[in-house]
Amino acid sequence: MATENVVATEVESGMPQLDFSTFPNQIFWLLIALVVIYLVLSRVALPRISGVLAERSGTISNDLAAAEDYKLRATEAEAVYEKALADARTESNRIADQARADAQAELDAALAEADARIAAQTAEAEASIAEIRASATENVAIVAKDVAEALVAAMGSTADQATIDAAVNDRMKG
Amino acid sequence: MTDVASHTATETTDAATHGAGEAVMHADAVGAGDAAADGAAAGHDAGGLVFHPLDQFLVRPIFGEGGIFHPTMPVPEIHWYTPTNVTLWLALAVLCVVLLFVVGSRGRATVPTRTQSVAELFYGFTHKMVEDVCGKEGLKYFPYIMTIFVFILFANFLGLLPMSFATTSHIAVTAILGFGVFFAVTILGFVLHGASFLKLFWMTDAPLILRPVIAVIELISYFVRPVSHSVRLAGNIMAGHAVIKVFAGFAAIALISPVSILAITAIYGLEVLVAGIQAYVFAILTCVYLKDALHPAH
């Protein structure tokens, strides 16, 4: 019986695909396989995978939002820092200006004092120079009178003091 | 139908069966003669080469005489409930689906494992395809399309394993898929839109005088859809497997065998592509037909 069936199919078509005696078998098992795959996918696999995907996209958007938040906070912190820096800079500028002004005032005072002292000393020195010069002129006149008296005595004549003084003074004026 | 055929065959071959002692011998003789009759003239020229390019498609029981463990024996009668190699390879396809989609995703990890990300890839790919082609309303039918796509994909790839059985090379399998889609889509169209589903065939853009002609053409093409849908898949898979088998037959000649093996390698690569592409084509055409049912007025 078995062999005869084979002979029948092979002689009839040659293609196992067109052997209609196997169709009920194939269709039966195919339908079972499709139903099983459908049930497995629709009941277990697809809900699970779609859940995982939804959860992942939720996690990702949450993380992105958190990152955005952190970024915002970082920007704020940066602004605060910048402000503090600018404040510090103006403060430091102010202190520096203050210090510079103080130093300048001190310096000016010291300079003025020094100038005054120098002027005083200069005046003093000038006074002593004038004194010295005056005494020098006087000494020159005395020396000239003494010399003139000695000259007159050396030439063998005498002249009274008054005459010599008058002559010397007369000459020194010239 | 089958009974009649087997009866006539019984009568015509009774004498031969009586003559031949062993059933196995007899089957071999028939197989060889069949291959020769299939036009393997090259086999005769090459000196006794025997081709059995279609034997790989034989539906055999798993157990008993003539089963898959006795490939030289003739195939016994197959009932609708007999566990056959079809059953085995369909079960393996189901097993692969379960392994990938259920076991692979059991961790529900936010940062996926490798298997889980492959499963997610298939999910995302099919989901996007359904949404792009059918629109948001089509997503209701996403599990069905996913079932069809994943089943065909795994059946095609499992069929590429050496010594395996390609379930999708059988017109019985693809016709159930193709006509299943056809009837489901047609019924869905009438349920959703009633008689206005027929507007699918009435082109309001065309001039009035041409519309009946176009309607007839559209109607014919509509009814050809399930046939082309199923024959495309079965034909692609069957042709590739048969060609590989023919080249494998040439490998028996030492001189030709390197060329033959190279050709098998090349065609195998092509078949890997075809396996994926045909599953994709089947799924996306299903989406296109579904779109017609959801939005018949173009």
Side-chain angles (χ1 to χ4, degrees):
Chain A
M1 178 62 205
T3 39
E4 287 145 14
N5 203 343
V6 172
V7 174
T9 58
E10 300 243 27
V11 167
E12 202 177 18
S13 66
M15 271 177 77
Q17 276 85 353
L18 297 181
D19 175 6
F20 294 103
S21 69
T22 65
F23 273 31
N25 182 272
Q26 296 192 50
I27 292 169
F28 170 64
W29 291 111
L30 172 69
L31 290 179
I32 288 184
L34 287 179
V35 168
V36 171
I37 293 180
Y38 173 73
L39 289 180
V40 164
L41 285 182
S42 65
R43 295 287 151 85
V44 185
L46 298 184
R48 187 187 289 172
I49 294 177
S50 82
V52 168
L53 291 179
E55 192 183 320
R56 181 176 311 146
S57 72
T59 310
I60 289 174
S61 58
N62 278 350
D63 286 358
L64 281 181
E68 194 64 32
D69 191 40
Y70 282 128
K71 195 177 163 194
L72 212 66
R73 257 191 258 174
T75 317
E76 273 170 26
E78 196 189 349
V80 170
Y81 164 77
E82 286 291 344
K83 192 176 172 300
L85 196 67
D87 284 357
R89 192 168 287 140
T90 51
E91 179 69 10
S92 83
N93 279 345
R94 198 186 59 74
I95 291 170
D97 286 346
Q98 176 83 43
R100 197 174 296 126
D102 285 357
Q104 190 65 45
E106 241 167 73
L107 183 66
D108 287 350
L111 277 180
E113 196 186 336
D115 280 350
R117 203 176 296 153
I118 289 167
Q121 277 176 356
T122 311
E124 206 172 301
E126 270 173 1
S128 71
I129 288 169
E131 198 175 308
I132 289 165
R133 186 177 292 146
S135 70
T137 316
E138 205 170 295
N139 289 347
V140 167
I142 293 168
V143 168
K145 284 167 189 165
D146 287 352
V147 169
E149 194 177 350
L151 276 176
V152 170
M155 284 160 79
S157 64
T158 56
D160 66 281
Q161 193 65 37
T163 313
I164 290 167
D165 284 355
V168 168
N169 284 344
D170 193 40
R171 282 294 178 173
M172 276 180 77
K173 264 180 220 162
Chain B
M1 169 72 194
T2 323
D3 280 347
V4 173
S6 93
H7 266 296
T8 51
T10 312
E11 282 159 24
T12 51
T13 55
D14 248 352
T17 327
H18 280 303
E22 283 281 322
V24 180
M25 297 281 288
H26 179 71
D28 269 355
V30 168
D34 189 39
D38 267 0
H44 286 291
D45 292 345
L49 271 189
V50 184
F51 292 92
H52 297 283
L54 299 177
D55 280 8
Q56 58 177 322
F57 302 121
L58 275 177
V59 176
R60 287 175 179 275
I62 298 178
F63 308 106
E65 294 206 343
I68 55 175
F69 299 112
H70 307 282
T72 51
M73 284 179 149
V75 181
E77 193 182 353
I78 289 167
H79 304 283
W80 60 270
Y81 53 83
T82 314
T84 54
N85 46 0
V86 180
T87 318
L88 174 67
W89 290 96
L90 287 174
L92 286 175
V94 172
L95 182 70
C96 288
V97 171
V98 171
L99 281 181
L100 176 61
F101 287 97
V102 178
V103 180
S105 68
R106 72 189 180 286
R108 300 163 195 261
T110 310
V111 179
T113 59
R114 270 178 287 187
T115 325
Q116 189 186 325
S117 62
V118 171
E120 283 170 11
L121 205 71
F122 278 116
Y123 180 99
F125 178 78
T126 317
H127 198 266
K128 188 170 183 304
M129 178 171 75
V130 175
E131 194 175 357
D132 287 353
V133 177
C134 308
K136 289 273 182 212
E137 315 90 281
L139 286 179
K140 234 188 312 178
Y141 311 100
F142 163 65
Y144 299 98
I145 291 173
M146 185 83 178
T147 304
I148 290 174
F149 176 59
V150 164
F151 166 70
I152 295 175
L153 193 73
F154 278 103
N156 285 355
F157 278 121
L158 284 174
L160 281 175
L161 294 175
M163 310 296 291
S164 72
F165 177 84
T167 46
T168 39
S169 70
H170 274 265
I171 193 73
V173 169
T174 58
I176 289 298
L177 292 169
F179 278 93
V181 169
F182 174 76
F183 285 118
V185 161
T186 308
I187 292 168
L188 186 70
F190 278 113
V191 167
L192 288 181
H193 303 282
S196 68
F197 178 59
L198 294 173
K199 279 180 191 160
L200 182 64
F201 307 109
W202 197 250
M203 293 278 181
T204 43
D205 301 335
L208 188 61
I209 207 158
L210 280 179
R211 276 181 213 170
V213 183
I214 292 175
V216 171
I217 295 172
E218 287 280 319
L219 207 64
I220 293 171
S221 82
Y222 188 81
F223 282 100
V224 167
R225 274 177 181 182
V227 178
S228 67
H229 204 189
S230 47
V231 169
R232 180 185 305 111
L233 177 58
N236 266 289
I237 304 301
M238 193 198 90
H241 285 64
V243 166
I244 288 181
K245 209 72 171 186
V246 168
F247 276 108
F250 277 115
I253 308 170
L255 208 62
I256 308 179
S257 61
V259 182
S260 166
I261 288 168
L262 272 180
I264 290 174
T265 312
I267 292 173
Y268 193 90
L270 188 70
E271 284 307 299
V272 170
L273 270 177
V274 166
I277 290 171
Q278 286 307 318
Y280 175 63
V281 164
F282 200 101
I284 203 161
L285 281 177
T286 304
C287 291
V288 170
Y289 300 160
L290 181 62
K291 189 203 75 180
D292 280 347
L294 295 174
H295 316 281
H298 293 273

